[in-house]
Amino acid sequence: MPETVLIVDDDPAVRRVLRKMLQPAGYPLLEAADGDEALRLVKDRLPSLILLDMHMPRMDGIAALDHILEIDPKARVIMVTGDGDDARTRLALEHGACDVILKPFGAEGLRNSVLVNLAAR
C-alpha cells in the first residue's frame, strides 16, 4: 500500500502549496484544517506521515502532536512553522516530532524530509 501523507494546516493556501509540492511524488494525500480534524483522520486512516502546522487556532501543533502520538506512537510527524523560535523547535522535537521545517520552504527540502522520514518508519 502506498505511503499516505496527512497535511494539517489552518491556512488553505499553505495546504495547497504542500499538496502541489508532494503530488509529483505520487503519495496519496489527506488534508485537515485543524487539530481536531487531523486527530479524526489519524484514528480512521493511520497516515504514514503527518505534516503538522505548529500554530493553529483551538489546538496548537504541540498539543495535536501529543494526541497524535497517543493514537499512534509510531507516527512520523514533521512540524511546519513560520516561527524560527529555537525553543519551540526543540519543544516539538522533545515531544516526538521527527523533523521541523521552516516556512518558507522549498519543494526539494520538503520532499527530502518526507522521503527520509517515510523510510525511517
Side-chain angles (χ1 to χ4, degrees):
M1 178 155 72
E3 305 281 8
T4 302
V5 176
L6 171 59
I7 299 168
V8 185
D9 199 298
D10 59 320
D11 185 340
V14 173
R15 290 195 312 270
R16 184 174 47 255
V17 167
L18 288 166
R19 184 176 58 248
K20 286 184 177 186
M21 288 181 173
L22 293 174
Q23 279 177 331
Y27 302 116
L29 301 173
L30 303 170
E31 294 184 32
D34 60 36
D36 292 326
E37 188 178 1
L39 295 177
R40 283 191 296 277
L41 286 168
V42 170
K43 286 178 188 173
D44 293 344
R45 304 286 297 274
L46 289 175
S48 307
L49 182 78
I50 301 155
L51 296 170
L52 180 61
D53 186 21
M54 184 116 39
H55 299 285
M56 297 182 292
R58 293 187 303 277
M59 181 187 309
D60 76 354
I62 300 294
L65 172 64
D66 290 341
H67 291 300
I68 288 167
L69 293 175
E70 287 174 9
I71 296 165
D72 180 7
K74 295 180 182 178
R76 303 293 293 175
V77 180
I78 299 172
M79 301 301 290
V80 180
T81 184
D83 181 359
D85 182 352
D86 289 339
R88 295 275 300 163
T89 297
R90 279 193 307 277
L91 183 64
L93 294 169
E94 288 168 3
H95 278 250
C98 57
D99 197 1
V100 177
I101 295 177
L102 294 176
K103 299 175 191 174
F105 43 81
E108 185 176 338
L110 173 69
R111 285 193 294 257
N112 284 341
S113 182
V114 167
L115 183 64
V116 165
N117 284 290
L118 283 173
R121 187 165 161 85

